[in-house]
Amino acid sequence: MAKQEDQFKKVLSHAKEYGYVFQSSEIYDGLSAVYDYAQNGVELKKNIRDYWWKAMVQMHENIVGIDASILMHPTTWKASGHVDAFNDPLIDNKDSKKRYRADVLIEDYCAKIEGKINKEVDKAAKRFGEAFNKEEFLATNGRVFGYQEKINTILARMGASLEKEDLLDVKALIEELEIADPLTGSRNWTEVKQFNLMFGTKLGASAETAMDLYLRPETAQGIFVNFLNVQKTGRMKIPFGIAQTGKAFRNEIVARQFIFRMREFEQMEMQFFVKPGTQKEWYDQWKATRLKWHLSLGMGAENYRFHDHDKLAHYADAAADIEFKFPFGFKELEGIHSRTDFDLKAHEEFSGKKLQYFDHEENKSYTPYVVETSIGLDRMFLAVFSNSLQEEALENGTSRTVLKLPAILAPYKAAIFPLVKKDGLPEVARKIMGDLKWDFNVFYDEKDAVGKRYRRQDAAGTPFCITVDHQTLEDKTVTIRHRDTMEQKRVKISELKEIIEAEVAVKNWLQRM
Ligand code: ATP
């Protein structure tokens, strides 16, 4: 645990020190769970968004994008169920005055039991060596089986109680499990209450005539209300998708994990409209496709897992999360939801406008079913950033901090250095920079010894460093150094573009899917 916390602290301080993420309004002591992306962060974030957009929109003939407004007609949120049901169950500790999400306290309790299962697995793996079969062990070991049963029972009861809005039972469960305030150990809890997560605002000049609005808590509704507009003007045939990236706002009860849970964040969502009855097939297909997208970035298959929901949202007939191993454990990174025809039907009812699709092959109209993929851009940023930050022991006994960002996502693809600030080397370096910047985001640095400049770029995540020295003036060659291997090669200036391109071309990355 201490190691995890240390690693997380390093992530936070590195993100600040290297210009990735700053606390919002820091000079006024910040605003809780609101963050600003800094000069490098904004590039990383943009690259993640572009990588998603390329894979989800531009590589699919039947998926198009939109950019809907943050402010929407307030009836949207009545229809979507957010006014009535976008609540989190909160509980306060009377001694510490800390507020928690009741469901998260229970889930964390289960995660601890899961930790015990993992320990048993590790022990057995050591004992049995090569002959160890994890699946068999999980299915047959009595103790592990007992732990798993306990988790299943707890989560099923919590799911059922939340579904029925039986908050007394959620509190009873917390008491029966003797769950204590993680910060103080106190078990002196208040009742569990529901808390609506939407931020309200007003439209209009005078208090009497102002209209109550909400800042959108998800981007999906902007897609649903535009479903017919896009389908008709784009002449889209089912199955087809509408994608969007943009800000969403949630007044989160507990927002402590840096950019993992923010009050203002960005989502990348795609709603896929399908023929009723085919939703299960598409749900399975999108689960697989989205996992492949993640894996294409090469951040280790062992760091991802699916979590199928026990407790389904009011609109869903199936839902799963892709969880990622963050520095504080496996947590939701992306959700894939089979949303049925709930949203379109609800908007049809509340707006009085028909939101159906005429299927020419079947010669009839129907309300399409929807499979959604929804990922938090900021969470993806945290996944990439925390996974990439490494402390590496070097052969000479020293160590280096290196941010091994997937090259396709790195803010700068190359840094260009003149070895010294004289003898015409800066001019040549600037000329190389001038040529490369048409194709890549590149960085120029002439300050300090070259070794120090290398270290700075390692820590900032730049995949290549290019050094111009006196030999460059004679034979038009430079040294190119690779961030991950630290290997240095002498190459012709004219080859640089191709070398960098080979590592950062989106095609090469997405083709790993
Ligand atoms: P959680 O259970 O963690 O609150 P959720 O299930 O409410 O998340 P969804 O409504 O499915 O999340 O939203 C889709 C995605 O949006 C999530 O997978 C996550 O990546 C991202 N997301 C949701 N809430 C936040 C937040 N407060 N800050 C950052 N990202 C978020």
Side-chain angles (χ1 to χ4, degrees):
M1 201 62 182
K3 209 172 140 214
Q4 278 190 355
E5 272 167 28
D6 282 354
Q7 171 64 9
F8 194 40
K9 275 193 195 139
K10 271 188 204 143
V11 167
L12 262 73
S13 62
H14 199 85
K16 178 165 185 203
E17 190 181 342
Y18 284 87
Y20 276 87
V21 183
F22 300 147
Q23 172 84 60
S24 155
S25 353
E26 199 188 75
I27 58 167
Y28 295 107
D29 297 331
L31 185 63
S32 161
V34 187
Y35 291 90
D36 295 340
Y37 287 90
Q39 65 277 14
N40 283 325
V42 73
E43 295 285 347
L44 173 56
K45 194 175 169 201
K46 177 182 180 302
N47 292 343
I48 297 173
R49 194 192 294 110
D50 288 350
Y51 192 62
W52 182 88
W53 193 264
K54 185 80 201 169
M56 295 296 285
V57 182
Q58 297 179 344
M59 295 306 291
H60 287 104
E61 277 173 47
N62 59 344
I63 301 181
V64 291
I66 61 164
D67 184 13
S69 294
I70 287 170
L71 298 177
M72 299 181 69
H73 192 284
T75 310
T76 310
W77 308 110
K78 272 295 247 185
S80 68
H82 284 80
V83 170
D84 296 324
F86 194 51
N87 302 317
D88 273 345
L90 69 84
I91 189 165
D92 291 298
N93 187 280
K94 290 186 196 159
D95 295 329
S96 70
K97 309 276 181 262
K98 291 273 173 217
R99 178 160 282 188
Y100 296 94
R101 264 174 63 175
D103 55 336
V104 172
L105 285 177
I106 296 169
E107 274 163 12
D108 285 351
Y109 179 89
C110 291
K112 277 193 196 132
I113 309 180
E114 200 172 316
K116 290 185 189 165
I117 297 180
N118 292 340
K119 260 197 196 137
E120 294 289 334
V121 170
D122 289 348
K123 263 200 301 192
K126 265 193 205 133
R127 195 163 30 162
F128 295 114
E130 294 258 305
F132 182 62
N133 179 331
K134 188 171 165 190
E135 270 67 52
E136 196 183 314
F137 178 77
L138 288 176
T140 54
N141 180 282
R143 192 177 300 171
V144 165
F145 195 76
Y147 285 145
Q148 193 56 53
E149 282 251 296
K150 188 165 179 194
I151 294 178
N152 296 348
T153 314
I154 294 171
L155 291 180
R157 177 165 156 199
M158 179 180 85
S161 299
L162 287 173
E163 190 107 16
K164 287 189 300 216
E165 295 264 325
D166 184 355
L167 300 180
L168 285 176
D169 190 57
V170 177
K171 162 98 186 270
L173 185 58
I174 289 177
E175 281 174 339
E176 279 166 41
L177 298 173
E178 301 188 347
I179 295 176
D181 179 340
L183 292 176
T184 62
S186 157
R187 294 201 195 115
N188 192 5
W189 296 111
T190 62
E191 297 306 309
V192 177
K193 281 180 286 203
Q194 291 289 22
F195 175 78
N196 193 289
L197 299 182
M198 282 198 294
F199 277 106
T201 185
K202 287 195 185 295
L203 178 116
S206 73
E208 301 83 64
T209 57
M211 188 182 196
D212 284 316
L213 297 186
Y214 295 104
L215 301 184
R216 67 179 177 197
E218 62 176 25
T219 56
Q221 298 305 324
I223 293 178
F224 293 127
V225 299
N226 278 300
F227 159 72
L228 260 198
N229 282 342
V230 175
Q231 191 271 318
K232 292 231 153 83
T233 56
R235 299 198 297 157
M236 308 301 290
K237 279 213 185 77
I238 272 187
F240 73 91
I242 306 177
Q244 146 158 259
T245 71
K247 286 273 170 106
F249 301 80
R250 295 182 187 179
N251 197 359
E252 297 280 0
I253 298 167
V254 186
R256 290 202 191 98
Q257 286 157 324
F258 190 37
I259 54 172
F260 180 81
R261 191 174 298 288
M262 301 155 92
R263 297 204 161 100
E264 171 179 343
F265 59 101
E266 194 164 334
Q267 289 186 313
M268 306 191 287
E269 295 197 305
M270 193 277 298
Q271 311 295 326
F272 201 67
F273 299 90
V274 305
K275 202 185 269 187
T278 64
Q279 70 271 22
K280 173 81 177 77
E281 254 164 70
W282 285 109
Y283 169 72
D284 289 339
Q285 187 163 322
W286 278 112
K287 265 174 79 173
T289 306
R290 291 303 304 148
L291 183 63
K292 277 196 217 151
W293 180 84
H294 286 284
L295 296 178
S296 73
L297 288 168
M299 299 202 299
E302 70 285 1
N303 291 320
Y304 300 86
R305 69 180 189 194
F306 280 114
H307 165 73
D308 293 314
H309 284 208
D310 301 301
K311 175 195 149 205
L312 290 175
H314 57 279
Y315 51 75
D317 69 1
D321 298 335
I322 295 178
E323 294 188 336
F324 183 76
K325 197 168 177 198
F326 287 97
F328 36 83
F330 272 102
K331 293 271 183 232
E332 170 176 348
L333 169 59
E334 169 158 9
I336 293 114
H337 310 127
S338 176
R339 290 182 80 124
T340 68
D341 56 1
F342 174 86
D343 301 271
L344 289 179
K345 280 245 167 87
H347 287 303
E348 201 170 67
E349 188 190 320
F350 278 78
S351 68
K353 309 266 161 42
K354 221 169 181 196
L355 292 178
Q356 293 202 339
Y357 172 78
F358 184 76
D359 192 323
H360 286 276
E361 275 164 30
E362 303 218 351
N363 202 25
K364 65 171 192 197
S365 293
Y366 54 77
T367 309
Y369 269 49
V370 173
V371 174
E372 158 187 86
T373 72
S374 174
I375 174 170
L377 176 48
D378 314 86
R379 272 194 203 175
M380 184 62 194
F381 184 112
L382 182 60
V384 171
F385 193 87
S386 58
N387 185 265
S388 302
L389 184 60
Q390 295 173 23
E391 198 61 33
E392 205 172 71
L394 300 177
E395 275 172 13
N396 64 8
T398 62
S399 69
R400 68 165 180 156
T401 302
V402 53
L403 190 63
K404 291 190 171 174
L405 297 172
I408 177 81
L409 303 181
Y412 290 102
K413 305 307 184 198
I416 298 148
F417 312 147
L419 184 65
V420 289
K421 250 193 287 183
K422 53 182 186 183
D423 305 335
L425 302 189
E427 287 74 9
V428 178
R430 289 240 178 244
K431 164 89 178 53
I432 295 174
M433 164 123 177
D435 287 341
L436 289 179
K437 75 177 167 201
W438 289 100
D439 298 293
F440 314 107
N441 197 24
V442 284
F443 187 83
Y444 179 82
D445 191 7
E446 57 181 24
K447 204 166 166 284
D448 299 323
V450 83
K452 223 172 171 181
R453 281 180 264 170
Y454 283 153
R455 287 289 180 276
R456 241 181 349 243
Q457 293 306 319
D458 285 349
T462 310
F464 292 106
C465 289
I466 296 162
T467 305
V468 172
D469 58 17
H470 293 93
Q471 192 183 328
T472 312
L473 303 178
E474 287 159 27
D475 63 5
K476 294 198 167 52
T477 65
V478 289
T479 305
I480 186 162
R481 173 184 178 274
H482 198 279
R483 176 195 67 196
D484 298 345
T485 59
M486 295 198 292
E487 190 195 1
Q488 301 190 19
K489 257 208 244 156
R490 195 93 207 161
V491 302
K492 291 200 194 101
I493 293 173
S494 57
E495 293 169 338
L496 285 172
K497 184 178 163 193
E498 207 178 315
I499 295 172
I500 301 170
E501 182 71 24
E503 289 231 4
V504 306
V506 66
K507 188 173 177 186
N508 296 346
W509 287 83
L510 280 182
Q511 276 182 345
R512 299 178 188 181
M513 269 180 79

